[in-house]
Amino acid sequence: QVQLVESGGGSVQAGGSLRLSCAASGHTYSRHWMGWFRQAPGKEREGVASIYTGTGSTRYGDSVKGRFTISRDNAKNTLSLEMNSLEPEDTAMYYCAADCSGYNCHIMKPETYKSWGQGTQVTVSS
């Protein structure tokens, strides 16, 4: 099992930037998919960005392409999400996820990820 702890959430005005971090511990792996998900009130959890730690290959949700960047520091066992040009629609609870099963983890279906952090709130005001 992988333990995940998110940090870096907060309130920011539209157009601003925020950087989220996820510290991983426990049974971590050097070559696997990890991802960021978010869930807004009244909406289903959706994939934001994912990364394959073995090669650095990344995938992004359509709504955040060109604005968000996911990265992984394998030596420090941390996952980051750099968010730029934030919009009110980005307001949500953001979750770090790992321990994905199957061959389509890049599709970012929440049910394929087994380990989750507690979440960190991001609020973007207009």
Side-chain angles (χ1 to χ4, degrees):
Q1 185 68 265
V2 179
Q3 289 77 52
L4 305 169
V5 180
E6 303 96 333
S7 63
S11 298
V12 64
Q13 294 186 17
S17 300
L18 207 59
R19 184 180 180 87
L20 306 182
S21 296
C22 172
S25 62
H27 298 170
T28 59
Y29 304 93
S30 61
R31 296 180 292 278
H32 67 125
W33 283 93
M34 297 185 70
W36 285 97
F37 295 76
R38 68 185 183 185
Q39 187 167 20
K43 300 180 66 177
E44 293 188 340
R45 189 168 299 186
E46 64 173 341
V48 175
S50 60
I51 184 169
Y52 184 64
T53 60
T55 62
S57 179
T58 59
R59 299 289 188 276
Y60 294 93
D62 291 339
S63 64
V64 307
K65 288 181 179 178
R67 299 189 298 120
F68 291 9
T69 302
I70 187 173
S71 62
R72 162 81 168 167
D73 187 331
N74 291 333
K76 297 182 179 180
N77 290 320
T78 58
L79 184 72
S80 298
L81 183 68
E82 182 71 33
M83 305 183 292
N84 299 312
S85 301
L86 284 163
E87 305 168 352
E89 292 73 23
D90 296 316
T91 296
M93 184 73 75
Y94 283 71
Y95 299 90
C96 177
D99 193 18
C100 181
S101 299
Y103 293 95
N104 294 303
C105 297
H106 60 283
I107 297 177
M108 294 183 286
K109 291 184 176 181
E111 60 267 28
T112 64
Y113 286 77
K114 301 295 181 63
S115 298
W116 294 84
Q118 83 287 351
T120 184
Q121 179 67 40
V122 172
T123 302
V124 185
S125 61
S126 60

